[in-house]
Amino acid sequence: MTTSVIAALDIGGSKLAITLANANGPLIRLVQATRKSGTPDAIARQSIELLAVACQRMAIDFADVDHIGVSSCGPFDYHDGLLGLTPPNLCGGLAHYKNLPNDWTFIPLEFVLREHFTTIHIDNDCVAALRGELCFGAAQNESNAIYVTWSTGIGFGLCVDGHILRGKSGNAGHAGHMLMSEISEALCGCGNVGDLESLVGGRNLGLRLGKSLDKIFSSARSGDETALAIVHEAAQWFGRGLYNLIVTLDTQCVLVGGSVWRENEALLSALVQTEISNRFPALTKGVRIQSALLGELVTDIGALAAVMPEAWVTDWRLRQPWQLLKSEFIA
Ligand SMILES: [Zn+2]
């Protein structure tokens, strides 16, 4: 049977998106606030419901869609051989921030998706983003690449010798939680003090400084010395995290995405590059730090790429059909 329509599901801490695509490109993308109450399978059930709505809108028989790529916030875990989610920002039973109306400790994602789909591929969101950039973005001919997002949190996708790393539970790339310095006030949502995300993740940094990152970066851009010092320190920590991974994995290029980077690339780029290029030239010479190309749809495109027939890829590279995709918010 040939695959005619595939689906992508993108699960984030605040929003959930589903996309349907055929050989010509993405057809529809529906977005809804991520459900955070009810039984532990609420998010998986919501995903199926939203997919059914999208199919109805496009006059597609839901039964004909049997491939789904998932991009989700992690970490993941296996229960009875099926992959599910254990993110502290969705599971009230694991949360370090006490603001969730549930006591979940595990979200049974694959278990629910198996009721409908035969082909399921679940990636961490940064791994999906890396897959998107390798397939359609800034790293199309690279075998040794890192994707990193610098936004509310810090996450990575790692590709070595052409293999995207997954690890024993699909959690490879959670290097935002690598320990950097146990300075007392930098606390991460994972419970660590002084890991990379606690030091420079948008949420943690803003909380620690008691002001929004937007304000800090705009003050830095207009030359405020205190703000500039904060930005320099953040870029140093971020660059050191990248350096540690580059020398561990022998990486050729690092693709950076995420809102903090996108909005402040002009300020951050040279600072981060310096943290890498100034160290151990035999391992860092020629390593490129560059912005990811696919923007806000990078995880959706990566999730589609994971289950897409090979025959679609060349044509999508030429036409970049995702550029035409409009998202619609469903209340
Ligand atoms: Zn952490």
Side-chain angles (χ1 to χ4, degrees):
M1 191 179 86
T2 55
T3 304
S4 57
V5 180
I6 60 173
L9 164 64
D10 187 14
I11 301 173
S14 56
K15 280 179 288 184
L16 177 148
I18 64 94
T19 305
L20 292 175
N22 66 13
N24 291 324
L27 302 165
I28 184 172
R29 182 174 186 266
L30 300 181
V31 184
Q32 205 168 40
T34 308
R35 248 173 231 170
K36 292 181 185 170
S37 59
T39 51
D41 62 357
I43 290 173
R45 300 281 167 210
Q46 176 187 15
S47 308
I48 297 279
E49 287 165 26
L50 202 56
L51 273 158
V53 173
C55 285
Q56 197 178 25
R57 293 272 187 95
M58 302 309 296
I60 289 165
D61 187 346
F62 192 10
D64 291 341
V65 185
D66 66 355
H67 287 45
I68 187 165
V70 182
S71 150
S72 175
C73 52
F76 302 146
D77 197 5
Y78 283 101
H79 278 199
D80 301 323
L82 297 173
L83 204 62
L85 316 179
T86 59
N89 60 340
L90 292 175
C91 293
L94 304 171
H96 291 271
Y97 305 120
K98 304 287 177 208
N99 58 356
L100 287 169
N102 70 64
D103 59 359
W104 308 338
T105 54
F106 180 80
I107 296 168
L109 181 63
E110 187 178 355
F111 178 81
V112 174
L113 294 180
R114 284 272 165 225
E115 293 171 6
H116 187 87
F117 296 94
T118 54
T119 299
I120 300 169
H121 186 101
I122 301 173
D123 273 334
N124 173 264
D125 42 16
C126 289
V127 173
L130 172 66
R131 193 182 297 284
E133 290 289 331
L134 288 168
C135 203
F136 297 114
Q140 284 183 32
N141 297 308
E142 294 295 350
S143 298
N144 293 284
I146 291 174
Y147 177 91
V148 54
T149 185
W150 188 350
S151 59
T152 34
I154 305 283
F156 294 83
L158 310 169
C159 181
V160 180
D161 297 337
H163 301 289
I164 294 178
L165 304 186
R166 285 187 61 79
K168 67 183 189 301
S169 311
N171 291 325
H174 275 78
H177 307 288
M178 69 167 104
L179 284 173
M180 307 292 288
S181 160
E182 293 191 60
I183 63 169
S184 59
E185 75 275 35
L187 177 65
C188 182
C190 76
N192 277 339
V193 170
D195 66 13
L196 183 61
E197 183 167 310
S198 78
L199 290 164
V200 306
R203 178 192 171 101
N204 295 327
L205 188 57
L207 281 174
R208 184 151 55 93
L209 297 170
K211 26 176 141 166
S212 83
L213 275 200
D214 284 352
K215 277 216 176 79
I216 292 164
F217 275 100
S218 70
S219 304
R221 278 194 294 272
S222 46
D224 179 276
E225 286 194 8
T226 311
L228 270 171
I230 291 169
V231 168
H232 275 242
E233 194 189 320
Q236 276 181 345
W237 286 123
F238 185 74
R240 284 173 196 186
L242 291 188
Y243 169 83
N244 290 342
L245 288 172
I246 289 164
V247 298
T248 304
L249 301 175
D250 199 10
T251 301
Q252 182 61 60
C253 78
V254 179
L255 308 162
V256 194
S259 56
V260 173
W261 179 266
R262 272 201 300 274
E263 289 156 23
N264 305 289
E265 187 195 345
L267 200 54
L268 293 169
S269 182
L271 295 168
V272 171
Q273 182 78 55
T274 301
E275 280 301 308
I276 293 153
S277 308
N278 279 357
R279 295 190 167 86
F280 209 164
L283 298 179
T284 58
K285 187 176 48 132
V287 175
R288 303 195 313 277
I289 311 298
Q290 63 184 104
S291 290
L293 267 187
L294 298 177
E296 290 177 31
L297 290 177
V298 66
T299 52
D300 309 78
I301 297 167
L304 289 171
V307 295
M308 182 179 291
E310 187 63 35
W312 297 8
V313 173
T314 310
D315 179 54
W316 278 44
R317 279 183 179 165
L318 284 173
R319 292 191 300 107
Q320 306 189 352
W322 56 85
Q323 308 250 15
L324 302 170
L325 184 62
K326 299 261 185 297
S327 299
E328 185 187 339
F329 195 87
I330 306 281

